[in-house]
Amino acid sequence: MNMKKRNGEINSMVLPGFTKKWIVGTLCLISCLFSFVCVGAGSESPKHYLKPYLTRISEILEDCDIDRAAHSNERREKVMDIAVEFIDFREMSARVLGSTWQKISINERKRFVNLFTKLLEHAYIGKLESCSDHKIKYLGERFKGNRAVVITEAKNKKTTIKVNYVMINRGIGWKVYDVNIEGVSLLRNYMQQFRSILRREDFYGLVRILEEKNRLFEGN
Amino acid sequence: MFVMRVEKIFRVSCIVLVLFFMVGSPFALAQSSKDCSTKIDLLEEDPFGDGEIGVVGGIYDPLEPVNRVVFEFNDRLYYWLLKPVNNLYSALVPEDIRSSVGKMFENLKAPVRFINKILQGEFKQSGVVASRFFINSTIGAFGLTDPAYSEFGLEPLRGDFGQTLGKYGLGEGVYICWPVLGPSNLRDSVGMAMDGFLHPVTYAGEEVWVGGSVKVVGQINYLSLYPETYEDIKKFSLDPYVALRQGYTEYRKGMIFCGTDVGDVGLGLEVWSEEDEHEKTQWGNK
């Protein structure tokens, strides 16, 4: 009983210490969990990061209802809303311009990003208007530093198309900055076209050509 | 007389080919045994990373002024002749029949693919090509259907002599835009000529025009099945000539290094012509 009393006394004496340790321990645990979440978000597999977005887009494209044409704009907006979440259009724009990106101002960069994003939207999201029964098969992924490539196949009854998504993680999660279809890189294709134009025009000449192209799409 | 000359050239070509590949086949076998994904590494060099970068590769196009003129000619030819003919053909022949005809023409190319797969040291793939040819020619009603894929899961494989030369390490050479035939390069042009000798249709009749006509019909049929390919390139690009040149070169490089295997197919290609210099781009903070 004395022991119990002693233990009680001891317990009451150590309680403040225990409480402190408990609080510190809890804070550490919370910090660790918080760090884990942050690190986990940054180090999440690019494949697992990409898959939900592609699944959502596939669901929209597979909806082959008879009012497809009537809901064209709505569908395009839905696809674009998803696309901006996992595609880094700014990264693409910077890479596609190359050294010219360094020479232009922040406002010019913003303008170019908007124009290039619009071009890609017209060119590729518009192309996705047709009903698609392609199923995506994920074949693997590879890493190098803060970049990765996710290897996939888009397959239907007739064709199999190899599509690789090149992604980068600048600390805010994985984002796609290039799509490689059967060996052909979207980014490099536009990069070479822009380079060809910049040999004979300046940056504003390129902007004019982009604006004209987007107007053509919007006119149609 | 002409046929005898063609036969003589063919026999000489075959002898040269056999000698060439007897010497080079060990090298080709060593190449083909490598894992596809290690041949072209999309992430190997980051031409856009921080710091200095260098030109990774190149599409050598010193003939760009001439090629652009030919490209314009081909563009006019497409809209003035090929597209109207294609529209008429598509209107007269239902898509199902055109699809079957397309499969038949693809089946006819099997000997070309088979020989090239052997030359590339891809013996397993050559077996697939032979199996597909046998199955589609018999069960598939002379290639009009593709039970080899639908029933047996044997996927179509691609193989041509340009690909074979590429696997042996031969570079593309200069980029060439041929009238009518379209984008190519020096290596693939030689490959096309050699494949012409290997194609069974070449020997369809005593006169050359018979085989040529059959090939033209095959091309028109193919175009009718994929009518939007060229028009999409024009529609979505700001410089269609460059878009086609870059797309063709990368597509061919992907075929040569990876074939039908799964793997990275990204390429580090930069374009330079006589006007350009090799440049290093400083990539700083965005």
Side-chain angles (χ1 to χ4, degrees):
Chain A
M1 191 169 175
N2 287 339
M3 284 295 292
K4 281 184 186 174
K5 190 177 179 182
R6 184 175 294 180
N7 286 338
E9 285 174 357
I10 290 170
N11 286 339
S12 65
M13 281 164 61
V14 301
L15 188 57
F18 175 76
T19 303
K20 280 183 193 172
K21 285 181 187 174
W22 185 79
I23 290 169
V24 168
T26 305
L27 285 171
C28 284
L29 185 62
I30 291 170
S31 303
C32 287
L33 284 171
F34 185 72
S35 304
F36 176 78
V37 167
C38 291
V39 168
S43 62
E44 183 184 0
S45 156
K47 183 179 85 177
H48 292 118
Y49 192 85
L50 181 66
K51 200 170 173 181
Y53 296 108
L54 294 183
T55 303
R56 283 161 62 190
I57 290 178
S58 296
E59 284 167 0
I60 295 170
L61 298 178
E62 281 169 7
D63 185 14
C64 302
D65 58 54
I66 55 172
D67 289 331
R68 197 166 181 86
H71 297 290
S72 169
N73 286 337
E74 186 186 324
R75 194 170 47 251
R76 181 186 286 212
E77 274 177 27
K78 277 184 191 172
V79 172
M80 204 56 202
D81 286 342
I82 299 168
V84 296
E85 289 179 40
F86 74 96
I87 298 176
D88 190 340
F89 288 103
R90 190 171 187 276
E91 179 81 26
M92 289 181 79
S93 302
R95 287 170 179 263
V96 98
L97 266 191
S99 57
T100 305
W101 182 263
Q102 300 303 315
K103 299 171 190 168
I104 58 178
S105 67
I106 292 174
N107 285 337
E108 286 168 341
R109 289 178 184 180
K110 277 185 190 167
R111 191 179 172 196
F112 180 79
V113 171
N114 288 337
L115 288 171
F116 187 52
T117 305
K118 212 66 190 161
L119 175 71
L120 293 176
E121 180 188 339
H122 288 308
Y124 293 98
I125 309 299
K127 191 66 186 160
L128 298 175
E129 295 289 286
S130 54
C131 183
S132 168
D133 61 345
H134 278 94
K135 301 291 177 199
I136 300 174
K137 190 177 166 187
Y138 295 85
L139 300 171
E141 57 190 356
R142 288 205 309 111
F143 295 84
K144 189 147 194 164
N146 68 340
R147 295 180 304 127
V149 60
V150 177
I151 304 161
T152 74
E153 273 184 356
K155 203 166 181 172
N156 67 2
K157 286 179 191 171
K158 291 182 186 176
T159 53
T160 301
I161 304 169
K162 292 184 178 47
V163 184
N164 293 347
Y165 297 89
V166 189
M167 305 178 78
I168 191 164
N169 188 345
R170 292 197 183 272
I172 52 170
W174 291 101
K175 297 262 188 177
V176 171
Y177 71 84
D178 191 15
V179 181
N180 195 294
I181 303 173
E182 292 284 344
V184 182
S185 161
L186 171 75
L187 187 76
R188 288 194 189 280
N189 204 289
Y190 276 111
M191 187 183 78
Q192 296 305 332
Q193 291 181 54
F194 289 169
R195 185 179 288 197
S196 171
I197 292 168
L198 287 168
R199 273 192 221 124
R200 55 180 191 272
E201 306 268 354
D202 59 4
F203 173 73
Y204 293 102
L206 173 64
V207 165
R208 268 196 310 274
I209 292 171
L210 269 170
E211 284 172 340
E212 198 179 309
K213 194 75 178 180
N214 283 332
R215 266 197 298 273
L216 270 171
F217 278 117
E218 280 153 19
N220 290 337
Chain B
M1 182 68 180
F2 180 78
V3 170
M4 282 172 61
R5 200 180 298 170
V6 167
E7 281 183 9
K8 193 174 177 184
I9 293 170
F10 179 65
R11 278 190 219 126
V12 169
S13 305
C14 283
I15 293 167
V16 169
L17 265 176
V18 167
L19 287 172
F20 178 74
F21 289 111
M22 275 173 65
V23 172
S25 53
F27 175 72
L29 278 170
Q31 290 285 77
S32 66
S33 65
K34 282 185 192 173
D35 177 19
C36 170
S37 63
T38 62
K39 288 187 182 177
I40 294 178
D41 184 358
L42 185 66
L43 306 175
E44 184 176 20
E45 293 190 35
D46 183 7
F48 308 102
D50 294 338
E52 289 193 8
I53 59 165
V55 174
V56 178
I59 302 175
Y60 187 44
D61 190 10
L63 305 173
E64 183 171 338
V66 176
N67 283 332
R68 280 191 181 266
V69 170
V70 174
F71 177 81
E72 285 301 317
F73 168 77
N74 288 340
D75 185 65
R76 297 281 186 273
L77 184 72
Y78 173 82
Y79 286 105
W80 290 350
L81 181 64
L82 290 178
K83 189 172 177 181
V85 168
N86 176 48
N87 289 342
L88 182 65
Y89 179 70
S90 300
L92 293 174
V93 181
E95 188 180 349
D96 290 348
I97 295 178
R98 285 186 277 120
S99 178
S100 296
V101 169
K103 289 190 180 89
M104 185 188 71
F105 275 104
E106 278 304 302
N107 197 51
L108 284 175
K109 288 185 197 169
V112 178
R113 289 193 283 267
F114 176 75
I115 291 170
N116 279 298
K117 286 300 179 188
I118 296 277
L119 292 173
Q120 291 166 23
E122 301 279 3
F123 299 114
K124 189 177 173 185
Q125 289 188 9
S126 66
V128 171
V129 171
S131 302
R132 281 182 51 81
F133 180 67
F134 176 73
I135 292 169
N136 289 339
S137 301
T138 52
I139 306 171
F142 302 109
L144 290 170
T145 60
D146 190 1
Y149 178 57
S150 57
E151 303 298 326
F152 296 92
L154 297 173
E155 290 199 6
L157 296 173
R158 297 167 294 189
D160 57 73
F161 196 64
Q163 187 188 39
T164 302
L165 291 173
K167 281 188 181 282
Y168 273 78
L170 198 64
E172 297 106 359
V174 297
Y175 175 78
I176 303 170
C177 186
W178 290 110
V180 181
L181 297 176
S184 185
N185 51 53
L186 186 60
R187 179 197 62 210
D188 290 346
S189 300
V190 170
M192 262 194 295
M194 188 53 65
D195 286 336
F197 282 117
L198 297 174
H199 203 304
V201 165
T202 305
Y203 310 98
E206 288 188 1
E207 302 293 328
V208 173
W209 67 266
V210 175
S213 301
V214 173
K215 283 184 187 171
V216 167
V217 170
Q219 286 302 316
I220 290 172
N221 188 77
Y222 179 82
L223 188 64
S224 74
L225 293 170
Y226 306 100
E228 296 174 346
T229 306
Y230 177 66
E231 291 182 47
D232 280 350
I233 291 172
K234 284 208 72 182
K235 190 175 163 188
F236 302 139
S237 61
L238 303 177
D239 188 336
Y241 169 79
V242 171
L244 196 61
R245 177 181 68 188
Q246 183 74 15
Y248 171 81
T249 304
E250 288 188 335
Y251 179 72
R252 288 294 295 167
K253 204 144 188 172
M255 275 184 68
I256 285 162
F257 285 103
C258 294
T260 56
D261 294 329
V262 171
D264 297 338
V265 290
L267 306 165
L269 297 178
E270 300 287 326
V271 179
W272 62 280
S273 66
E274 288 186 349
E275 293 174 358
D276 288 339
E277 296 176 358
H278 286 277
E279 59 178 351
K280 289 192 176 186
T281 302
Q282 198 74 21
W283 188 259
N285 296 325
K286 291 195 301 180

